[in-house]
Amino acid sequence: MSLFSEEEAAGDTDMDFLRNLFSSTLGLGSADKVLDELTMGGVAQYINSGKCKNIICMVGAGISTSAGIPDFRSPGTGLYANLQKYNLPYPEAIFQIDYFKKHPEPFFTLAKELYPGQFKPTICHYFIKMLKDKGLLRRCYTQNIDTLERVAGLEGEDLIEAHGTFYTSHCVSFCCRKEYNLDWMKEKIFSDDIPKCDKCSSLVKPDIVFFGENLPVRFFTSMKSDFPNCDLLIIMGTSLQVQPFASLVSRYCISCFLVLEHTADPLFGLLGIGGGMDFDSDKAYRDVAHISTCDDGCLALADLLGWKVELEELVKKEHARIDSQGTKEKASDSKGAAAKTSAASVAPEPKKAE
């Protein structure tokens, strides 16, 4: 897919935003109301009615904070507020492609702290997995690069990793572009080595989207087919401040359910940010906001759907499995280290006289 096609897709998104803005503000076009009431209860009733068969989830860093991964913009605790030790010219530089190519050390030091595999999926991740298991999830669009959606059981077909992923890595040289897997990159990062290509010695970067890079082609192609068929859009853990991800909200959806963090501004949708969502005006007909943490919001919705016990049992079972797997891996690593130490301590046999 050419860059022109990506720009064309972005242009379609802009047009969708304008159509929906005029429709909601000026009363133009149709505004079919599918929720009996603009509450979480109305959303649950709609899902249970059998009429809601294509749910899209849009998620951001807020769904992973309860796993111990910091978000980006929270004052004091966010990632950008705690990067002073890297001596960056500005916080975002750590994810700037030009800066990375000249100074890769800060990024890989941070990557070691936040590397996938050290955290367990949250209630929110497993709620999305339940939507899949029940045949309701059309797609999950995520801004996250922590791969926790995959750990929770979503597969590549279920996901649009809009900002890329640590799952694969590539050489940054346009003439090479050799691919490397998660285990290769993990070994390099935890050995404190700057990953270099085995083929051409250029830097190797995880396939996350840095500032200055294009989003994955699949993001643009999938949104064209997914959103026109969306029955319910569930937005969690994102401030909708980063484009073009934020503009997805402006694409046509029958109903929209937003879980807002306590620190978020519930008026941002009314001000036209994030697609011009409307929660409480006289013309409101589709958008519902719930103020809570993402995990609490998912538990509350699951309770109304009659899924709460099932969700809690799933989380408990999967966390136990991950803990057990981690214990086995540590034991295996310890045995391997002990074997190496033992072998190194054995004196070599003297050579026989010829």
Side-chain angles (χ1 to χ4, degrees):
M1 185 177 182
S2 67
L3 181 61
F4 173 79
S5 297
E6 291 181 12
E7 291 173 349
E8 184 181 59
D12 289 345
T13 300
D14 292 339
M15 288 303 299
D16 287 336
F17 170 77
L18 291 173
R19 289 191 193 99
N20 286 325
L21 182 63
F22 282 119
S23 176
S24 60
T25 306
L26 303 177
L28 302 175
S30 61
D32 298 327
K33 185 175 180 179
V34 300
L35 300 182
D36 290 339
E37 55 182 37
L38 296 180
T39 64
M40 182 185 282
V43 173
Q45 186 178 10
Y46 176 45
I47 295 174
N48 279 332
S49 70
K51 298 176 183 178
C52 180
K53 299 177 181 178
N54 291 286
I55 296 176
I56 293 176
C57 293
M58 282 178 61
V59 301
I63 74 167
S64 295
T65 52
S66 64
I69 302 174
D71 64 10
F72 287 87
R73 292 178 173 81
S74 291
T77 60
L79 189 60
Y80 287 153
N82 292 279
L83 294 176
Q84 298 90 342
K85 59 185 175 183
Y86 299 115
N87 297 316
L88 300 167
Y90 48 92
E92 291 84 358
I94 203 165
F95 293 117
Q96 197 88 39
I97 188 62
D98 291 337
Y99 185 85
F100 169 80
K101 289 179 178 179
K102 295 177 182 177
H103 308 284
E105 296 83 5
F107 170 78
F108 285 113
T109 302
L110 177 66
K112 186 175 181 180
E113 295 180 29
L114 302 178
Y115 201 78
Q118 303 180 85
F119 306 94
K120 289 181 284 192
T122 66
I123 291 170
C124 193
H125 289 98
Y126 288 113
F127 178 79
I128 299 170
K129 174 61 163 56
M130 283 188 67
L131 290 176
K132 175 191 173 179
D133 292 344
K134 293 179 182 296
L136 298 172
L137 181 70
R138 184 176 183 91
R139 208 89 63 196
C140 176
Y141 284 69
T142 178
Q143 291 174 291
N144 298 336
I145 59 174
D146 53 39
T147 73
L148 288 183
E149 295 91 358
R150 291 178 181 265
V151 177
L154 296 185
E155 299 175 357
E157 181 60 27
D158 307 315
L159 284 168
I160 302 297
E161 291 161 317
H163 293 175
T165 178
F166 266 98
Y167 201 66
T168 55
S169 301
H170 281 85
C171 172
V172 300
S173 171
F174 289 110
C175 300
C176 180
R177 299 297 294 162
K178 183 176 178 181
E179 181 174 315
Y180 295 88
N181 62 27
L182 188 65
D183 291 336
W184 183 92
M185 178 58 71
K186 181 177 181 180
E187 181 182 351
K188 295 293 183 182
I189 289 177
F190 282 87
S191 298
D192 295 322
D193 293 332
I194 299 300
K196 296 290 184 68
C197 181
D198 300 333
K199 185 177 178 182
C200 72
S201 299
S202 297
L203 278 170
V204 177
K205 182 182 76 67
D207 290 341
I208 64 174
V209 179
F210 277 43
F211 294 114
E213 294 186 300
N214 293 323
L215 268 64
V217 170
R218 190 161 169 261
F219 171 86
F220 296 97
T221 56
S222 297
M223 71 181 187
K224 282 188 171 184
S225 59
D226 286 344
F227 279 80
N229 296 297
C230 176
D231 297 325
L232 174 66
L233 178 64
I234 300 179
I235 305 168
M236 297 178 286
T238 173
S239 60
L240 296 176
Q241 292 184 27
V242 178
Q243 297 292 353
F245 188 88
S247 64
L248 291 175
V249 178
S250 66
R251 302 185 74 84
Y252 183 75
C253 299
I254 290 177
S255 188
C256 183
F257 175 58
L258 176 70
V259 178
L260 281 172
E261 295 288 341
H262 293 288
T263 55
D265 183 356
L267 296 177
F268 77 95
L270 299 180
L271 296 175
I273 302 171
M277 289 176 287
D278 184 357
F279 301 118
D280 55 7
S281 80
D282 293 337
K283 296 178 182 177
Y285 71 97
R286 68 163 202 174
D287 300 328
V288 177
H290 177 75
I291 312 296
S292 76
T293 65
C294 295
D295 286 347
D296 288 345
C298 286
L299 279 173
L301 182 55
D303 192 21
L304 291 169
L305 291 166
W307 304 351
K308 186 178 180 181
V309 172
E310 184 181 354
L311 176 58
E312 290 174 331
E313 288 178 352
L314 176 63
V315 173
K316 184 177 179 181
K317 181 186 75 173
E318 287 299 304
H319 280 189
R321 180 186 63 79
I322 292 170
D323 288 339
S324 175
Q325 183 178 353
T327 301
K328 290 178 182 178
E329 288 177 357
K330 287 180 181 178
S332 177
D333 291 343
S334 297
K335 286 182 180 179
K340 287 181 181 179
T341 302
S342 177
S345 65
V346 175
E349 293 184 7
K351 292 184 178 179
K352 294 181 180 179
E354 305 216 353

